Amino acid sequence: MPSLVYQDAGRGAPSTFELHKRVTSIGSGPDNDLVLRDPTVADTHALVRFDGRAFTLQCLAPDAEIVVNGRPRARHVLEHGDELLIGETCATFHLYQASVERAKAEESSLASSYRRILEFSQKLLSDLPVDALLEELMDSIIALTQADSGFLILADGDTLDVKVARRLDRANVADAIEHLSDSLVRTVIQTRRPLIVADALNDDEFGGSRSVVNLRLCSVMCVPLIDRDRVLGLIYVGNDNIVNLFTQEHLSTLTIYAAQASLILAKALLLDELRSDNAKLRERIDVMRFGHMIGACDAMREVYRRVERVAATDVSVLILGETGTGKELIARELHTRSRRSDGPFVTINCGAIPENLLESELFGHVRGAFTGASSSRAGRFQAAHRGTLFLDEIGEMPPALQVKILRAIQERVVTRVGDNRAEAVDIRVLAATHRDLPAMIAAGTFREDLYYRLNVVTLTLPPLRERGDDIEMMARYFLDRFVEEFGSTKRRFNHDAIVALRKAPWPGNIRQLENTIKKAVLLSERPGLGADDLDLPPDGSPVIEPLADAREAWQRQYILRALELNGGNRTQTARDLGVDPRTVFRFLEREGDADSEP
């Protein structure tokens, strides 16, 4: 605020009088704005007039004079630092800093700037909403620069959006866009350079601008907001009453604030974009969703059509597909859409249970039927009464049990181990496998009559690598799910991640995709996930696995091949391989667990 710092007749401590009126009267009379207790000062000695651009001192007393910088003056346009002698009273005119010692004032101003910057930097670490942070930032800028208004403007092409508009009194500015010079704003955005205009009305470049003339602008300072190579907008501060207000120190301070504002805005824009992407993703997923399944490729649409046609019937369905393609979810969808949906859905993995226990698990047993059978127990067939029984990995069923399974399906009766009484069961049977059953029939390891009993209708699920756009949609679905589950910040996939996701071979199908996304959300600290966060090569070339992982994958395939040659007999397979039978069961459990995701 412009002011006069004075001492009455050169005595006592200095006093400060702020020049806040357009006309300020000075004299010894009590009706003056500034009353000087100096007998050499006339009743109304002088006036200080402000015309919107400058302060002019005019002597009114006919026999009095005012000495300005050692020279008598009747009229003088005041400049910052002018020393005045009014009668015997010494005074100094300050345009923007009312302080007795200028050096101390500048040092204090610099310290204040650093303190305010530090305080605001600490607020960036708080949980304040973005709008509140930006208002705090603009209030700090206005206080430091002595501007009477400040604006934070977002630019999108030719469109300007005033995000924050504040006054010196921390009030919001109404109709903010009307207070801006479009020529100044356009220049800063186009040049990407900060700009100080000391006296806008008399400026060679902008003085003729209609917006400058209409707004009667004096001091203006603008700094662009840049995030990488993108211009987000600018910070615009001005004072409509004082010319030559802003200095290079002000510009340096404003540039620091602009860098902080750019970080806030870039983060806010990213979050808005992520929210928009998530909203669009949810809309697309709703369109592509079939129950708990996600996907709209041609092969999956054909599967959905078949499910809708056969779900309401009781026909047996054989679900084929690689491990991890979602066979159990399709089975659950068949049950949910059937007239048995109020009944139980019971599943058993035929390859994950030891052969000597599998019959009991399927059909139950009576007390004393074998060692350890201390009480009678129903099997999965009885548990599925009036519901659906899902025989997962039916290709691992031992030949000896295939006959009993066939009888149970044909006659709808089962006999518990150790009993001779048959129990009727009302069930629908669904089965699934990743094996080539016709090849197993030819090899004599799978019964042909059981195959045809199970295979009334076949549903073949495509591997993930053949599902095109479904890969990206499922990846985004898992990303959104795990971000919410782990309370993580919003994430998105970069372009190279999308390319890598589409080109990856995905031998583990949907389960592998799910675990890949989960790991990336847990370990990556970046909002944008790249191919490296997913442990995928950006060009889709094969990944070199760790030796331990490759060895385990080979062992699993070798054990499965040995099982096939032994007709599914786990005990004989373990004997041939020279390993403990539990090793075979462990690998089979891992195979069976991979089929429970969408």
Side-chain angles (χ1 to χ4, degrees):
M1 176 68 70
S3 61
L4 289 173
V5 177
Y6 66 96
Q7 287 179 290
D8 282 330
R11 299 184 299 274
S15 300
T16 300
F17 181 83
E18 293 183 346
L19 301 172
H20 57 84
K21 298 173 65 176
R22 287 194 171 269
V23 179
T24 301
S25 61
I26 303 173
S28 58
D31 294 331
N32 289 284
D33 298 307
L34 173 56
V35 179
L36 299 178
R37 295 187 298 274
D38 182 348
T40 64
V41 173
D43 185 63
T44 302
H45 198 101
L47 295 177
V48 178
R49 297 179 184 275
F50 177 63
D51 63 2
R53 294 192 298 131
F55 290 86
T56 302
L57 177 66
Q58 182 179 358
C59 185
L60 296 181
D63 299 328
E65 64 178 11
I66 298 175
V67 178
V68 181
N69 299 326
R71 295 183 179 183
R73 290 282 188 269
R75 181 184 179 87
H76 178 75
V77 177
L78 293 170
E79 295 183 1
H80 180 72
D82 281 348
E83 295 181 354
L84 314 176
L85 185 60
I86 307 173
E88 294 182 1
T89 300
C90 297
T92 303
F93 174 70
H94 291 273
L95 181 62
Y96 51 83
Q97 176 66 49
S99 175
V100 177
E101 300 181 32
R102 183 172 181 178
K104 289 185 178 180
E106 291 177 350
E107 182 179 347
S108 174
S109 177
L110 184 61
S112 176
S113 297
Y114 289 150
R115 185 177 65 254
R116 286 181 181 273
I117 291 171
L118 176 60
E119 289 173 353
F120 184 75
S121 298
Q122 291 171 337
K123 288 181 180 179
L124 287 178
L125 302 176
S126 69
D127 295 328
L128 283 176
V130 172
D131 290 346
L133 275 175
L134 293 177
E135 287 183 354
E136 287 274 358
L137 177 141
M138 189 55 64
D139 289 339
S140 295
I141 291 173
I142 292 173
L144 279 173
T145 60
Q146 298 296 312
D148 55 19
S149 60
F151 308 86
L152 192 148
I153 306 155
L154 297 181
D156 183 8
D158 294 331
T159 302
L160 299 179
D161 177 21
V162 180
K163 189 74 174 176
V164 180
R166 303 283 279 182
R167 294 193 185 280
L168 182 60
D169 59 1
R170 291 179 172 253
N172 291 321
V173 179
D175 300 323
I177 200 69
E178 303 297 329
H179 295 263
L180 303 173
S181 168
D182 55 356
S183 58
L184 292 174
V185 170
R186 187 168 55 251
T187 298
V188 172
I189 291 176
Q190 290 175 349
T191 63
R192 301 187 174 200
R193 294 180 179 177
L195 177 68
I196 294 180
V197 180
D199 184 357
L201 282 172
N202 295 310
D203 187 84
D204 292 340
E205 181 178 356
F206 300 107
S209 168
R210 179 179 300 177
S211 59
V212 170
V213 173
N214 291 342
L215 294 171
R216 298 186 61 80
L217 301 178
C218 289
S219 298
V220 180
M221 183 166 53
C222 300
V223 175
L225 302 173
I226 298 177
D227 176 48
R228 299 181 178 89
D229 293 331
R230 180 174 55 158
V231 177
L232 302 177
L234 72 155
I235 292 176
Y236 177 114
V237 294
N239 190 304
D240 298 342
N241 298 316
I242 304 172
V243 298
N244 298 309
L245 175 62
F246 302 126
T247 66
Q248 287 299 320
E249 287 75 13
H250 289 134
L251 185 62
S252 298
T253 302
L254 186 58
T255 301
I256 296 173
Y257 275 109
Q260 293 177 319
S262 295
L263 291 174
I264 299 171
L265 288 172
K267 180 179 179 181
L269 291 173
L270 176 61
L271 288 175
D272 286 344
E273 191 174 349
L274 288 174
R275 292 189 187 99
S276 177
D277 286 347
N278 286 338
K280 293 177 182 177
L281 172 63
R282 285 190 289 271
E283 291 177 3
R284 292 182 64 187
I285 286 177
D286 288 342
V287 173
M288 300 174 69
R289 187 185 294 276
F290 183 80
H292 293 286
M293 301 290 293
I294 298 171
C297 66
D298 291 343
M300 289 305 298
R301 288 183 182 278
E302 177 60 28
V303 170
Y304 301 156
R305 282 193 290 269
R306 288 196 166 207
V307 168
E308 288 177 333
R309 296 189 68 175
V310 305
T313 69
D314 264 355
V315 300
S316 298
V317 178
L318 180 61
I319 307 169
L320 304 177
E322 295 180 6
T323 297
T325 50
K327 296 188 289 293
E328 183 174 340
L329 282 179
I330 284 294
R332 288 183 180 276
E333 199 60 36
L334 284 165
H335 171 73
T336 300
R337 295 168 182 265
S338 73
R339 57 183 177 85
R340 297 175 177 269
S341 58
D342 291 336
F345 177 82
V346 179
T347 179
I348 182 170
N349 190 315
C350 302
I353 301 174
E355 184 177 347
N356 59 333
L357 298 179
L358 184 56
E359 183 177 1
S360 173
E361 282 292 323
L362 286 167
F363 307 121
H365 62 262
V366 296
R367 180 180 179 182
F370 51 83
T371 302
S374 58
S375 61
S376 297
R377 180 172 174 268
R380 302 294 176 90
F381 270 82
Q382 293 94 327
H385 183 62
R386 294 181 179 173
T388 302
L389 176 65
F390 177 49
L391 301 173
D392 198 8
E393 294 304 337
I394 190 67
E396 311 302 326
M397 179 72 66
L401 279 179
Q402 292 179 24
V403 177
K404 296 181 179 182
I405 290 287
L406 177 62
R407 175 175 178 267
I409 295 174
Q410 285 179 330
E411 301 179 9
R412 294 292 193 270
V413 294
V414 295
T415 303
R416 302 189 188 200
V417 177
D419 198 0
N420 55 12
R421 292 174 300 170
E423 299 178 56
V425 288
D426 176 16
I427 60 172
R428 181 188 190 179
V429 176
L430 307 175
T433 184
H434 70 281
R435 296 297 190 88
D436 184 351
L437 294 185
M440 293 180 67
I441 293 171
T445 57
F446 197 85
R447 293 183 63 92
E448 186 175 14
D449 49 0
L450 176 59
Y451 172 73
Y452 288 116
R453 174 61 64 178
L454 295 172
N455 190 24
V456 177
V457 174
T458 303
L459 298 177
T460 303
L461 302 186
L464 183 60
R465 60 184 173 275
E466 297 177 4
R467 291 182 59 175
D469 292 342
D470 289 359
I471 299 175
E472 181 181 347
M473 289 304 302
M474 281 187 282
R476 291 183 184 276
Y477 167 79
F478 285 130
L479 179 63
D480 194 41
R481 192 180 94 184
F482 291 131
V483 162
E484 182 177 354
E485 181 178 327
F486 300 139
S488 176
T489 56
K490 293 292 184 181
R491 306 293 185 88
R492 64 182 302 180
F493 293 117
N494 294 338
H495 176 71
D496 64 328
I498 297 297
V499 172
L501 285 166
R502 286 175 171 272
K503 290 187 175 182
W506 300 115
N509 291 293
I510 299 170
R511 168 57 64 83
Q512 182 186 2
L513 174 66
E514 178 190 16
N515 289 338
T516 296
I517 306 301
K518 181 187 293 185
K519 176 183 175 183
V521 172
L522 283 172
L523 300 183
S524 177
E525 298 179 352
R526 299 183 295 183
L529 299 181
D532 54 335
D533 296 302
L534 303 173
D535 293 332
L536 297 174
D539 58 355
S541 58
V543 178
I544 298 178
E545 294 182 296
L547 184 60
D549 293 346
R551 183 188 296 116
E552 184 172 354
W554 180 85
Q555 287 178 336
R556 181 167 59 252
Q557 292 302 319
Y558 191 74
I559 290 173
L560 292 175
R561 176 60 178 162
L563 266 172
E564 188 172 340
L565 292 174
N566 281 311
N569 189 312
R570 298 162 183 75
T571 304
Q572 183 60 43
T573 298
R575 189 179 300 118
D576 290 345
L577 294 174
V579 298
D580 189 288
R582 286 174 295 183
T583 301
V584 178
F585 299 144
R586 178 168 59 88
F587 279 104
L588 290 176
E589 287 173 0
R590 292 182 183 178
E591 279 289 295
D593 286 345
D595 230 8
S596 59
E597 293 300 329

